[in-house]
Amino acid sequence: MSEKATLNVGGKSYEFDVITGSENETCIDIQNLRKESGIITMDPGFGNTGSCYSSITYVDGAKGILKYRGYPIEEVAAKASFTETAYLILYGELPNPQELRKFSARLKEHAPLHTNLEHHFSGFPREAPPMAILSAMLNLVSCFHPEVLEVPTTGEEFDRTASLLLSKVRTISAFAYRMAAGKPINHPNPNLSYCGNFLHMMFSDPHQEYEVSPVVDRALNLFLILHADHEQNCSTSTVRVVGSSRANLFSSISAGVCALWGPLHGGANTAVMMMLEDIKNSGRPLRYYLDKAKDKNDPFKLMGFGHRVYKNFDPRALILKEQVHQVQKALNIQDNLLDVALELEEFILKDDYFISRNLYPNVDFYSGILLRAIGIPLKMYTVMFAIGRMPGWIANWKELHDHNQRISRPRQIYTGETTRSFVPLTER
Ligand code: SDX
């Protein structure tokens, strides 16, 4: 017999089941609330509202815990490649050697773009934001692969479509960068690893193939692993909402790319670097920025700090911070933005405003410094987040269909004008 929650409103009592998840999280199942009482709940930003039951990722914000399919992020980050992580998130289990070989082969097979697709890149203006190109081109891919429009969520068809998306997101991203930089595109090289092939497509030149260093390859794998999924964040929820109308996977993911673009979400890694550059170049004391961040009349926020769920350190930030030190040492890089970031973090962690609001560095605070260390240009930072998040978006879209979830359609409380008679134009 499950525990019950009782709601007493307007002199009536309503009972609802209390549900407990596998990590002992508790929710009140109110899916019949409106039908039974005519009442709805209100939760702008959905900070207190569960949208689904999911077995993909678990986050404990109070303890700074993140697990992919039950594996702690620290272990996945230390022991897995991004390809293994993507397989785990998509299928729920780590691949055995044969499964990994087959999955990697599919990713290699799907790396090239249809020739006619390549021509579309030349239609974008040079200064086109890469996230706009990525979202547009992901939708466009389905025009050249109509078979993916009706993809089921199981079997070979799903495997093929998921691999196609995971693979082509790299190619589209690298092509977008090369076109914007006025450089010739580099076609994928099937002899390279997932990350090695991306770096080749980004940085090889006609006369000089990019040499993938193990340090950079490892750092990029780690960056993508840490971004692979994160429960029902803004962009993943967007993929689920669009997918709930039974829109195809490509259009659902394209919508997720647009949600990720915002500076409060995936755009934060770029905003952090611009903020650190401003702090470094302004000559202003850090106190100036902290006071701006506290000023309710000032829209300025300290980018890379705070999180809807983490009220402790974001474990990804801790892993990235360590990785930045390792990569800068291995590549003999001196980046004074890291010094600015470390000083800012130390300053903030002693400030009552931030302590009292549990504002800690999030995944975006150090990610940009790592990307800069491995040579990724600033305008590609949020695109890198999208490449990393692709497995999580696809897995959530799949889970939504596996659970045959209803179309998303929240309610509202109307606060506008009540009924009034229409006044003809001649009488106004
Ligand atoms: C990501 O959801 C995910 O999982 C996202 C993500 C993922 O992997 O998908 O983890 C990736 O998007 C990380 C977040 C990246 N964004 C930023 O770094 C932008 C800066 N951070 C803030 O905008 C903010 O912290 C959010 C958007 C991340 C969280 O916003 P919430 O949950 O709506 O928190 P809030 O705005 O209600 O903040 C609570 C208080 C407020 O002050 P009071 O009204 O209580 O006085 O904390 C303050 C806020 O003003 N606050 C900040 C702040 N973040 C929150 N004050 C200054 N600087 C900040 N960064």
Side-chain angles (χ1 to χ4, degrees):
M1 178 70 172
S2 73
E3 186 184 355
K4 297 289 185 184
T6 304
L7 179 66
N8 298 309
V9 176
K12 290 184 179 175
S13 279
Y14 305 92
E15 270 204 339
F16 304 96
D17 288 338
V18 175
I19 311 292
T20 302
S22 55
E23 290 280 1
N24 295 317
E25 298 167 298
T26 302
C27 75
I28 301 169
D29 179 345
I30 59 164
Q31 57 189 303
N32 295 318
L33 171 64
R34 187 174 163 278
K35 190 163 60 177
E36 291 177 13
S37 69
I39 299 167
I40 64 168
T41 59
M42 181 59 67
D43 185 22
F46 308 123
N48 305 283
T49 299
S51 61
C52 62
Y53 295 102
S54 179
S55 58
I56 303 169
T57 294
Y58 171 68
V59 175
D60 181 328
K63 296 176 184 165
I65 289 171
L66 168 58
K67 292 193 263 189
Y68 292 157
R69 301 285 191 180
Y71 293 99
I73 189 63
E74 294 79 5
E75 291 188 48
V76 178
K79 299 171 183 171
S81 65
F82 175 62
T83 307
E84 283 178 279
T85 307
Y87 187 100
L88 170 67
I89 284 176
L90 279 176
Y91 298 107
E93 298 296 337
L94 286 167
N96 63 36
Q98 185 192 357
E99 289 163 333
L100 185 58
R101 276 195 301 276
K102 190 175 174 190
F103 186 56
S104 297
R106 274 206 298 267
L107 293 174
K108 290 182 192 297
E109 175 201 347
H110 292 307
L113 292 186
H114 191 289
T115 313
N116 293 357
L117 252 177
E118 286 184 18
H119 296 323
H120 285 276
F121 284 94
S122 55
F124 291 107
R126 273 281 176 85
E127 63 284 358
M131 285 296 273
I133 297 174
L134 180 59
S135 178
M137 292 304 287
L138 283 173
N139 244 329
L140 212 53
V141 168
S142 56
C143 301
F144 293 84
H145 296 271
E147 73 281 6
V148 306
L149 293 177
E150 301 305 328
V151 65
T153 56
T154 53
E156 267 299 308
E157 274 305 313
F158 172 76
D159 297 346
R160 181 179 178 283
T161 306
S163 308
L164 190 147
L165 251 180
L166 278 169
S167 187
K168 284 182 175 24
V169 67
R170 285 177 301 177
T171 314
I172 292 170
S173 302
F175 281 23
Y177 164 65
R178 296 288 293 187
M179 297 296 285
K183 298 177 178 183
I185 57 175
N186 295 307
H187 289 99
N189 175 346
N191 302 317
L192 297 173
S193 67
Y194 185 91
C195 288
N197 211 348
F198 173 72
L199 292 164
H200 150 66
M201 289 190 278
M202 283 285 288
F203 301 126
S204 285
D205 283 322
H207 313 297
Q208 179 69 41
E209 168 114 348
Y210 175 83
E211 190 177 337
V212 183
S213 91
V215 171
V216 171
D217 188 72
R218 176 72 200 122
L220 183 53
N221 266 282
L222 182 77
F223 174 91
L224 297 177
I225 288 166
L226 294 175
H227 287 78
D229 193 46
H230 210 249
E231 293 191 351
Q232 300 311 309
N233 57 85
C234 179
S235 54
T236 300
S237 296
T238 301
V239 170
R240 278 186 174 254
V241 167
V242 174
S244 75
S245 73
R246 287 1 183 215
N248 70 73
L249 177 59
F250 285 71
S251 51
S252 304
I253 298 285
S254 176
V257 169
C258 295
L260 185 72
W261 193 355
L264 295 190
H265 188 17
N269 56 20
T270 310
V272 167
M273 296 301 277
M274 295 165 74
M275 176 186 75
L276 293 176
E277 286 282 2
D278 180 48
I279 292 173
K280 183 190 73 169
N281 300 330
S282 70
R284 296 190 191 99
L286 289 180
R287 173 57 54 197
Y288 166 84
Y289 292 93
L290 266 67
D291 291 343
K292 261 177 83 67
K294 298 174 189 176
D295 180 354
K296 294 306 171 194
N297 299 316
D298 189 326
F300 176 77
K301 286 189 181 290
L302 279 168
M303 304 314 278
F305 272 84
H307 199 278
R308 173 62 55 81
V309 177
Y310 288 120
K311 300 312 170 189
N312 195 322
F313 263 88
D314 181 335
R316 302 168 295 178
L318 293 173
I319 297 169
L320 282 164
K321 181 176 176 181
E322 174 50 34
Q323 184 70 14
V324 163
H325 285 296
Q326 287 181 23
V327 168
Q328 290 196 351
K329 188 176 171 199
L331 300 180
N332 195 23
I333 295 173
Q334 275 301 323
D335 182 351
N336 50 23
L337 274 198
L338 176 59
D339 302 333
V340 175
L342 292 170
E343 190 186 355
L344 180 61
E345 178 189 352
E346 189 182 347
F347 212 82
I348 286 173
L349 296 182
K350 293 174 186 166
D351 187 288
D352 287 343
Y353 172 93
F354 295 91
I355 295 169
S356 63
R357 290 167 176 79
N358 297 308
L359 300 177
Y360 291 89
N362 59 48
V363 67
D364 293 297
F365 190 60
Y366 287 104
S367 60
I369 299 176
L370 180 65
L371 290 174
R372 185 155 101 155
I374 63 177
I376 304 293
L378 181 66
K379 65 166 40 179
M380 290 293 288
Y381 285 14
T382 307
V383 171
M384 299 308 295
F385 193 142
I387 296 173
R389 189 53 52 90
M390 196 55 75
W393 285 336
I394 298 170
N396 275 275
W397 185 91
K398 177 176 189 308
E399 191 173 66
L400 161 92
H401 288 77
D402 289 349
H403 294 178
N404 193 29
Q405 195 160 328
R406 299 173 70 195
I407 187 170
S408 294
R409 204 278 186 213
R411 309 295 301 220
Q412 64 163 33
I413 293 295
Y414 177 71
T415 56
E417 297 284 347
T418 53
T419 306
R420 50 184 173 163
S421 299
F422 186 84
V423 178
L425 184 59
T426 53
E427 295 172 28
R428 269 179 257 160

